[in-house]
Amino acid sequence: MDGALLYPQVTATRRVQGMDGMWGFRFDPEGVGERDGWAANGLPDPVAMPVPASFNDLFIDKASRDYAGDFWYETDVTVPGEWRDKDLFLRFDAATHRATVFVNGVKVGSHEGGFTPFAVRINDVARFDEPNHVAVRLNNELSHASLPAGTGGALPDGTKLAGPYFDFFNYAGLQRPVRLLAVPKEALTGYSTTYAIHGDGSADVRYEAETNGGHRVEARLYDAGGALVARADGAKGTLHVPDAHLWNVRAAYLYRIEFTIVGDGGAVIDRYFDEIGIRTVEVSGRSILVNGKPVYLKGFGRHEDSIVNGRGENPAVIKRDFELMKWIGANSFRTSHYPYSEENLRMADREGFLVIDECAAVGFMASLMNFLDAANDANPNRDRGFFDDPVVRGKTIAVHKEAVRELFERDRNHPSVIMWSLMNEPDSAADAAVPYFREIFGYARTLDPQGRPLTYTNLMSAAAGKDKCHQFADVICLNRYYGWYVQGGYQLAGARKAFIDEMNRWMEVEPDKPFVFTEYGADTDAGVHKLPSVQWSEEYQCEYLDMQHEVFDMFDAVVGEQMWNLCDFQTGEGIMRVDGNKKGAFTRDRQPKEAAFLLKRRWERKGA
């Protein structure tokens, strides 16, 4: 559907009907559901399943929590008869990792990728004023062609396994809202904006509206009080704003932009509105500039992860996380390692947070413990040839491009988004990575009218002098764990020296770009105290952070620090993790460790 990536709004011409609640659910380990008519006849013996939510943590048996393969959801929805003259769509904010949708037994569409929206048109199959049966077959298996990447396998009894190449739990399901949309047959399908700020305090909002018809478009801009401040006619134009209120870091100001498609005689065919912020972003030398002024990023890598819900969208958790970040003095975060929900970004817009918006291209190193490979520069198994795989050079790059396109189109108008991250911790030291990077970065540069900086996060095994792809990035983003995965505990002084040595090499390799630390951290079991400190204690986490910060402050090129992680989060089980990753400044239930107070003191000293 053109327009699927527009945030759903109820307007004078558009209707939205929520479909969240309890759906029917069933696993399909043999993959027989479509053959056996589940889409038309209903699921045999379904269990109740909340939407939105990850299914995994709602079960009490291990086989269900770690299930890999096909699984189904179903529900009924009544389509109002007064919507007969509109185009009707089912919009899924996310379906992880791939989905096929059936309505009244008829296949109406499918989608690959678990973190961006898609919509399917149902006009040809919808029955008005009576229940319509909606069935969705999903699959959460991983491969070299999936984003995120991984591998598959099976137990001796044939039970499928998912082998993530990433260090977070492979949550899946209908994890974000589902809606029934009714829009005019001629409609706005998208829009983009760019900004120019002038010395006299005025600004220009240049817009381009995308429609599926030929009628005239009007654009209007309203201030936060609802007053009209600018207007223009045409699908492409400029809205001039005298005395513009700029969107700034932790000082957000949002305008309402409204597009109207006008028919013969002035009739309104379609109307859509959204919130935007007037601001500019650029990289200049060693600086990241917002509205022409340097910014220093303070904040976190995060995860959409909470108890019971898993990766399911939870407005209360979103609210709590932003309150924690505001309390601690943060001004930024990265959507590690996938596009976050639209509600997360809308909150960032309102609160003035800077966002590094990341594609789900994580696990681009063939290892079941790539966080160890990332940390161990001498690991003999580091070079696993991920980018040499013909599947990666063919199918994966096509899937990756489509994921980047959907991310950019969905999030292009959020003022909070200041940078795009195209991959997390890929094997960028491999020769075969270079043509892959060249193609992905080249494609991404065609997509964003605002020309925001592009980056990826570099892992430790691709240290300065070994990474072959840093030239494609506008900002160098480093994930570094000196003092944790290498030279930890009593060896912390040696870790400090090794860290400084690498940073000195980076200053030679990239003398003109800014650096942001997008990960640094140490696992810490809340409540464990030791004198002298040992790893996993709260004292050691603080000592580790102090050392990291000391090194950051030695280099003027460092313009940001995003500690890993905001909160503890769930991972797959294994001997390296005790019920998940414990690097949070806060526990998984959102309470502070001692490190949170250390970060608060530092970041409040650094100002906004």
Side-chain angles (χ1 to χ4, degrees), residues 500-531:
I500 294 171
D501 289 345
E502 192 200 344
M503 287 305 296
N504 283 326
R505 292 195 299 273
W506 271 117
M507 296 305 103
E508 297 173 1
V509 171
E510 283 287 6
D512 300 313
K513 291 180 181 178
F515 284 71
V516 174
F517 283 93
T518 39
E519 289 186 27
Y520 64 103
D523 280 276
T524 303
D525 194 1
V528 172
H529 295 281
K530 291 286 185 176
L531 284 178

Side-chain angles (χ1 to χ4, degrees), residues 2-67:
D2 286 339
L5 297 168
L6 279 176
Y7 184 81
Q9 304 277 22
V10 176
T11 73
T13 60
R14 294 168 173 247
R15 297 293 179 264
V16 179
Q17 180 174 311
M19 293 174 59
D20 296 348
M22 285 293 182
W23 291 43
F25 179 89
R26 183 180 172 90
F27 293 123
D28 184 11
E30 304 299 325
V32 299
E34 185 170 1
R35 184 199 69 189
D36 290 354
W38 294 5
N41 303 322
L43 307 182
D45 301 319
V47 300
M49 181 62 64
V51 173
S54 305
F55 71 77
N56 310 81
D57 288 349
L58 304 180
F59 292 98
I60 59 171
D61 63 292
K62 182 174 284 193
S64 296
R65 183 196 65 198
D66 292 310
Y67 176 85

Side-chain angles (χ1 to χ4, degrees), residues 425-488:
E425 294 188 349
D427 189 7
S428 55
D431 290 333
V434 176
Y436 190 101
F437 271 68
R438 181 179 293 111
E439 189 165 346
I440 288 294
F441 273 79
Y443 176 68
R445 291 196 190 280
T446 70
L447 298 178
D448 182 13
Q450 293 184 20
R452 278 163 282 204
L454 302 180
T455 191
Y456 66 97
T457 66
N458 165 283
L459 77 172
M460 291 182 70
S461 64
K466 294 185 177 181
D467 185 292
K468 295 180 171 64
C469 301
H470 57 89
Q471 67 273 17
F472 299 110
D474 301 307
V475 177
I476 305 300
C477 289
L478 302 179
N479 296 352
R480 289 298 181 268
Y481 291 97
Y482 290 102
W484 183 249
Y485 292 124
V486 292
Q487 296 180 277

Side-chain angles (χ1 to χ4, degrees), residues 54-56 65-69 96-97 115 139-142 146 148-149 151 161-164 166-173 175 311 570-572:
S54 305
F55 71 77
N56 310 81
R65 183 196 65 198
D66 292 310
Y67 176 85
T96 310
H97 294 291
F115 302 98
N139 181 281
N140 65 341
E141 294 177 76
L142 304 172
S146 65
T151 188
L161 297 173
F166 47 90
D167 187 31
F168 54 93
F169 196 82
N170 188 37
Y171 283 117
Q175 302 186 124
R311 196 144 288 120
Q570 192 58 265
T571 67

Side-chain angles (χ1 to χ4, degrees), residues 96-116:
T96 310
H97 294 291
R98 56 200 59 86
T100 302
V101 183
F102 304 83
V103 175
N104 297 324
V106 178
K107 178 180 176 180
V108 290
S110 60
H111 182 259
E112 173 73 27
F115 302 98
T116 46

Side-chain angles (χ1 to χ4, degrees), residues 152-212:
L155 296 174
D157 64 359
T159 300
K160 290 181 178 179
L161 297 173
Y165 291 169
F166 47 90
D167 187 31
F168 54 93
F169 196 82
N170 188 37
Y171 283 117
L174 294 179
Q175 302 186 124
R176 295 177 189 162
V178 182
R179 300 174 174 93
L180 174 63
L181 308 182
V183 301
K185 292 186 180 297
E186 183 175 352
L188 183 83
T189 58
Y191 77 97
S192 61
T193 53
T194 60
Y195 306 99
I197 300 170
H198 305 301
D200 63 358
S202 68
D204 287 331
V205 178
R206 296 184 289 267
Y207 71 88
E208 185 167 350
E210 301 148 9
T211 74
N212 59 4

